[in-house]
Amino acid sequence: MQITRWLVFIIFVGSFQWYAFQAFRTISNLKIYSFIYWFLSSLIILNFIYQTLSLDRTVGFNYNFSISLGYFLALLLFDLIVIIFLFAEDIFRIVNYLALNIFGNEKTTIVAERRKFLSTLAIGVASIPFASLIIGMYKGKYNFKVLNYVLEFKDLPASFDGYKITQISDLHCGSLDNKKEISYCMKLINNQKSDIIVFTGDMVNNRADELDRWKDIISTLKAKDGKFSILGNHDYGDYVRWNSSDEKTKNFNDLLKTQKEMGFNLLLNENYFLENGTDRIALIGVENWGAGSFKKAGNLKKAIKNIDSNDFKILLSHDPSHWESQVLPHPYNFNLTLSGHTHGFQFGIEIPGLLKWSPAKWRYKQWAGIYKEKKQFINVNRGLGFLGYPGRVGIFPEISVITLKKA
């Protein structure tokens, strides 16, 4: 069965390659171009197959697999764009041929020149996203952005006017590969001098030992009122094979232990009051709750135990689908929800004030940035790390700094 699947895969990808190759053959007869195209394409495809077959399912994605996937996706996108141009031309030629058989013959030179022009245009256009994906793998993934937001609330306790929250999310430590960049990121977070730092889930890809390389660096995070964290869907170890349920349980407990050792106050369907004189803010953390097939360990009822309906509430919930499904309909008013999970799909276009687009919008209504419904806000952090495709294009790693103001 596995051999059959790989044969189908090779035939499908090979057909893609052959069709896209027609563009190169059209613009030049030099064999060197054919050799370069087929050599590089074959290298990328064969490396992806090799890395996939050798992937340890008890560990999950590793650096080599992610890099091979990144190059393969870049190649596939390049081919797809070229094929769209060529296919459109082929359809035009078929229709035109049928019409000309009735009314006359189109000159062969015109057809050839048009084909050559479109092939050149196709390769030029396809080269842009191809190059962007490659650059995103080496530059974009560590292009950290600090995004500042000021949110006003009528019911914010007076002594918390100007209170600063730094939110980070989705580190995915198993994918990280550059200690210098991550050290710089932690310093950048500390430089915000926020009152509190919150981490909204997915510390690892799958296993607690992914933190071994990064524990000391992440531990350098400091905030006046402390560091708080919750779990994301990847923190439960649900996406790899385990030798036994006991091994999986131990991994989960090790992750909880390590987070606490790094100085995080981990909220597992729990709450904590931030106090300033006689004023207080309820900080609530739920375990992962996601729509569809995602894990639903979050228990909002348990998490708000001992919280009054009039308390100002900040909810940490990894998956933004939780907001519309359970938070907005809840009798309590959750003033601010902080989420992550989407990564902004790690790919998109953002022009501040003009355009914000990503394929993530087809899956999540709230996928990046600030959203408001009635009196409730949610911030969906774009995440610091990456998963699968080992880079970012247009949607860069984010440090959210939110300042609370009394309206």
Side-chain angles (χ1 to χ4, degrees):
M1 181 65 73
Q2 188 177 32
I3 294 175
T4 302
R5 285 200 300 265
W6 278 112
L7 283 174
V8 171
F9 172 82
I10 292 170
I11 292 170
F12 175 76
V13 174
S15 300
F16 248 54
Q17 294 302 116
W18 179 84
Y19 202 161
F21 171 66
Q22 305 312 306
F24 288 89
R25 194 168 68 174
T26 299
I27 64 175
S28 177
N29 290 322
L30 291 177
K31 291 184 178 180
I32 186 64
Y33 290 118
S34 300
F35 173 78
I36 292 172
Y37 176 79
W38 284 112
F39 176 76
L40 292 178
S41 299
S42 299
L43 193 65
I44 290 171
I45 295 167
L46 291 174
N47 184 49
F48 174 69
I49 293 173
Y50 170 76
Q51 295 298 339
T52 302
L53 290 173
S54 60
L55 186 65
D56 186 350
R57 297 307 195 277
T58 65
V59 175
F61 287 1
N62 56 41
Y63 177 76
N64 289 335
F65 173 80
S66 295
I67 290 295
S68 71
L69 175 63
Y71 276 103
F72 178 71
L73 291 175
L75 176 65
L76 213 59
L77 183 58
F78 177 89
D79 289 341
L80 180 61
I81 293 172
V82 170
I83 287 171
I84 290 172
F85 276 84
L86 297 186
F87 185 71
E89 162 64 4
D90 286 339
I91 294 297
F92 177 81
R93 288 172 67 186
I94 292 171
V95 173
N96 205 37
Y97 173 78
L98 294 174
L100 289 171
N101 272 342
I102 300 173
F103 299 109
N105 292 319
E106 184 178 15
K107 291 182 179 179
T108 306
T109 54
I110 296 176
V111 175
E113 287 300 318
R114 185 177 65 224
R115 183 75 170 185
K116 186 173 183 179
F117 170 76
L118 283 174
S119 295
T120 304
L121 181 63
I123 292 172
V125 172
S127 295
I128 297 172
F130 177 82
S132 297
L133 286 173
I134 301 302
I135 293 170
M137 290 166 58
Y138 295 97
K139 296 292 184 181
K141 65 182 179 183
Y142 293 131
N143 186 16
F144 302 109
K145 301 293 183 183
V146 178
L147 301 185
N148 289 278
Y149 303 103
V150 178
L151 302 180
E152 294 187 347
F153 303 89
K154 290 183 179 180
D155 52 351
L156 179 70
S159 64
F160 284 92
D161 184 39
Y163 197 78
K164 283 178 68 175
I165 304 167
T166 288
Q167 179 198 0
I168 53 176
S169 192
D170 298 86
L171 258 171
H172 288 283
C173 287
S175 299
L176 303 178
D177 60 355
N178 191 314
K179 285 192 172 185
K180 182 179 178 181
E181 293 287 2
I182 301 304
S183 295
Y184 167 74
C185 178
M186 297 302 115
K187 290 177 183 176
L188 191 59
I189 294 168
N190 284 333
N191 287 345
Q192 306 312 308
K193 301 189 183 304
S194 292
D195 296 288
I196 187 176
I197 294 173
V198 298
F199 178 80
T200 49
D202 278 1
M203 185 71 78
V204 297
N205 291 345
N206 299 294
R207 302 178 65 96
D209 57 16
E210 295 171 24
L211 277 169
D212 292 349
R213 285 186 65 198
W214 311 102
K215 179 180 175 181
D216 291 343
I217 298 175
I218 299 171
S219 297
T220 61
L221 290 176
K222 305 291 180 186
K224 178 175 67 73
D225 291 340
K227 304 181 294 189
F228 295 82
S229 65
I230 57 170
L231 299 178
N233 54 301
H234 279 268
D235 294 321
Y236 296 88
D238 290 339
Y239 303 121
V240 290
R241 297 173 185 168
W242 299 96
N243 294 320
S244 67
S245 58
D246 289 342
E247 184 184 18
K248 183 180 180 182
T249 300
K250 181 181 183 303
N251 176 77
F252 182 71
N253 291 332
D254 286 345
L255 178 66
L256 306 188
K257 179 183 176 183
T258 304
Q259 287 213 36
K260 291 175 182 177
E261 288 174 351
M262 293 190 298
F264 285 97
N265 186 341
L266 184 60
L267 300 176
L268 303 173
N269 296 320
E270 299 170 295
N271 60 73
Y272 180 93
F273 283 104
L274 301 167
E275 298 180 344
N276 193 348
T278 58
D279 293 332
R280 71 179 190 178
I281 285 179
L283 185 66
I284 305 158
V286 293
E287 293 193 50
N288 190 80
W289 193 102
S293 60
F294 285 105
K295 194 176 190 73
K296 294 175 175 59
N299 187 329
L300 201 54
K301 181 179 180 180
K302 181 180 177 182
I304 61 174
K305 185 179 180 181
N306 301 323
I307 291 178
D308 189 79
S309 60
N310 294 321
D311 283 320
F312 188 92
K313 305 171 198 66
I314 299 174
L315 173 67
L316 310 182
S317 180
H318 178 69
D319 192 319
S321 64
H322 188 218
W323 192 58
E324 281 204 331
S325 297
Q326 292 196 343
V327 179
L328 288 177
H330 198 278
Y332 278 16
N333 180 63
F334 294 86
N335 304 80
L336 174 62
T337 298
L338 301 176
S339 298
H341 182 62
T342 71
H343 299 202
F345 210 69
Q346 297 170 211
F347 179 87
I349 303 171
E350 289 197 86
I351 303 174
L354 293 176
L355 177 65
K356 185 173 76 172
W357 177 88
S358 164
K361 70 177 295 182
W362 298 331
R363 175 65 176 84
Y364 294 96
K365 187 176 178 181
Q366 295 83 27
W367 61 271
I370 298 288
Y371 301 85
K372 184 182 181 183
E373 291 252 352
K374 301 175 183 176
K375 297 179 181 179
Q376 302 187 53
F377 289 91
I378 183 173
N379 179 54
V380 184
N381 184 282
R382 294 159 180 81
L384 282 178
F386 43 90
L387 185 69
Y389 165 64
R392 286 178 176 262
V393 178
I395 306 292
F396 298 113
E398 173 185 351
I399 300 164
S400 303
V401 180
I402 300 170
T403 303
L404 307 180
K405 297 293 291 183
K406 187 168 181 64

